[in-house]
Amino acid sequence: MKRNEQLVEVGFDLPRVSEQWPPGNRECLWAQWVTADAVRLRNVPSLAYGVAWGDLFRVHRAETGDLLAGKRLHWSGHCTIRVFVNQDGPLNGSLQRVSEMFAPLGVAGEGSPQWGLLAFDVPPEVDVVPVQRLLKDGVREDWWDYEEACVGAAWIAADEAEA
């Protein structure tokens, strides 16, 4: 995110997965205006599905005045992967240690300590094979579980090739 960007909060409605999850009905993400009714996302979603850094969305104002996301107009090519760190595992729930493991692969994210999760942005220029290997190794070692919140054809093809 550049310092001079004029950012706005955009709400994304969250479907209920269980009685406890997600912890709210909406996730607000930072975005930059592109046109009078479209924004480009400028952070990684922690809860919303099918959404990634840099995606272009049509937006509208709710009766409350809140800015809400509508149709996705363009996918950025970025993937969103969520890692749920095992609090009782070998890494002792350390989000920092997990983040440091992914950094050399060109992957960065945003942590939510209260939920023990890291939402990672995987840019389109990153080689996804090492990222996928680390994710699977972490599950095998009981470091974390993960979910693919927003992925594309390259991610899926790489995963199938490794299987």
Side-chain angles (χ1 to χ4, degrees), residues 60-94:
H60 63 278
R61 291 263 177 213
E63 290 180 14
T64 60
D66 294 338
L67 198 57
L68 302 178
K71 179 182 177 184
R72 181 167 64 181
L73 302 173
H74 177 74
W75 177 53
S76 63
H78 289 242
C79 295
T80 302
I81 306 299
R82 293 195 192 103
V83 173
F84 298 89
V85 182
N86 184 346
Q87 298 302 306
D88 300 321
L91 300 178
N92 297 315
S94 172

Side-chain angles (χ1 to χ4, degrees), residues 61-137:
R61 291 263 177 213
E63 290 180 14
T64 60
D66 294 338
L67 198 57
L68 302 178
K71 179 182 177 184
R72 181 167 64 181
L73 302 173
H74 177 74
W75 177 53
S76 63
H78 289 242
C79 295
T80 302
I81 306 299
R82 293 195 192 103
V83 173
F84 298 89
V85 182
N86 184 346
Q87 298 302 306
D88 300 321
L91 300 178
N92 297 315
S94 172
L95 300 184
Q96 181 65 37
R97 285 180 65 192
V98 175
S99 184
E100 289 169 356
M101 294 170 82
F102 282 90
L105 303 177
V107 175
E110 300 178 16
S112 297
Q114 68 269 34
W115 302 313
L117 80 85
L118 283 157
F120 283 114
D121 170 49
V122 183
E125 64 274 8
V126 164
D127 181 358
V128 299
V129 172
V131 176
Q132 291 173 342
R133 283 186 188 139
L134 179 55
L135 287 166
K136 291 172 186 172
D137 288 347

Side-chain angles (χ1 to χ4, degrees), residues 1-120:
M1 186 171 356
K2 297 175 186 166
R3 289 189 184 268
N4 296 339
E5 287 181 321
Q6 293 294 327
L7 301 177
V8 294
E9 276 192 350
V10 178
F12 286 79
D13 290 332
L14 302 173
R16 290 303 274 158
V17 175
S18 71
E19 198 171 301
Q20 294 84 24
W21 194 261
N25 297 323
R26 184 176 292 153
E27 178 177 14
C28 289
L29 299 173
W30 292 109
Q32 179 183 22
W33 287 108
V34 175
T35 67
D37 66 346
V39 297
R40 184 169 314 282
L41 296 185
R42 304 312 284 163
N43 70 302
V44 184
S46 295
L47 303 171
Y49 289 91
V51 178
W53 177 284
D55 287 357
L56 186 66
F57 279 88
R58 179 138 356 263
V59 293
H60 63 278
R61 291 263 177 213
E63 290 180 14
T64 60
D66 294 338
L67 198 57
L68 302 178
K71 179 182 177 184
R72 181 167 64 181
L73 302 173
H74 177 74
W75 177 53
S76 63
H78 289 242
C79 295
T80 302
I81 306 299
R82 293 195 192 103
V83 173
F84 298 89
V85 182
N86 184 346
Q87 298 302 306
D88 300 321
L91 300 178
N92 297 315
S94 172
L95 300 184
Q96 181 65 37
R97 285 180 65 192
V98 175
S99 184
E100 289 169 356
M101 294 170 82
F102 282 90
L105 303 177
V107 175
E110 300 178 16
S112 297
Q114 68 269 34
W115 302 313
L117 80 85
L118 283 157
F120 283 114

